[in-house]
Amino acid sequence: VSLSGLNGTDGFRIAGIAAGDQTGISVSGGGDYNDDGRPVENAVPDAWYGVCTSSGPGGDFDYLCGQEAPRGAVPNGWTAVKLPAGRWARFHEAGHITRMEAVWSEIFSQWMGQEGLAPREGPFVEFYPLSFDGMTGEGGFEIWMPVA
């Protein structure tokens, strides 16, 4: 997904089964990723996301696994999350998925709070590119944070 194509007044939608549903945890494939016979039509191929929303007082959150989908392409029974327009900081990790916790720690201990990187309301996003292999955990990932 090219965030440079977003002009600050638009956003984009990510469709998945339901908040909290972790089907599709292995995202190295496309189309019908949870074998329920309902692919997301016109979804952006090979672009998979984990979206963390509704952060609670104890750090609880809802997690949705899905694909970018155009308006109207979300199958019945699925949930759509619209990422709000605005600035996003992207943090790339080329290593194994087990680096996820360390990357989150680095984001909050080294980056957030620096000039121009104040967090704002909105979901946190994990992006899994074509190079990511859900079977091995190799291939890298990105974390996107909404910033003010």
Side-chain angles (χ1 to χ4, degrees):
V1 168
S2 173
L3 292 183
S4 63
L6 300 177
N7 64 19
T9 61
D10 53 4
F12 65 96
R13 295 162 40 100
I14 295 175
I17 293 295
D21 182 358
Q22 295 187 29
T23 56
I25 201 75
S26 172
V27 295
S28 63
D32 181 16
Y33 64 91
N34 67 350
D35 199 29
D36 69 353
R38 297 185 300 170
V40 177
E41 292 183 28
N42 301 316
V44 174
D46 302 316
W48 294 89
Y49 301 85
V51 182
C52 306
T53 61
S54 306
S55 182
D60 296 341
F61 59 88
D62 291 325
Y63 186 86
L64 180 128
C65 180
Q67 287 182 280
E68 183 178 348
R71 184 177 298 267
V74 180
N76 289 334
W78 285 41
T79 299
V81 174
K82 181 173 175 22
L83 298 184
R87 292 184 60 220
W88 292 79
R90 292 173 60 177
F91 300 90
H92 176 75
E93 169 59 47
H96 193 269
I97 192 69
T98 56
R99 287 266 312 134
M100 180 73 73
E101 185 176 349
V103 172
W104 279 108
S105 180
E106 291 167 15
I107 289 170
F108 283 103
S109 67
Q110 298 177 23
W111 293 98
M112 285 295 124
Q114 288 189 14
E115 187 173 337
L117 287 179
R120 67 175 164 88
E121 285 293 315
F124 303 136
V125 176
E126 301 165 0
F127 171 66
Y128 299 93
L130 178 59
S131 60
F132 181 75
D133 183 334
M135 297 302 289
T136 66
E138 299 288 349
F141 59 91
E142 292 181 357
I143 295 177
W144 302 351
M145 299 279 300
V147 294

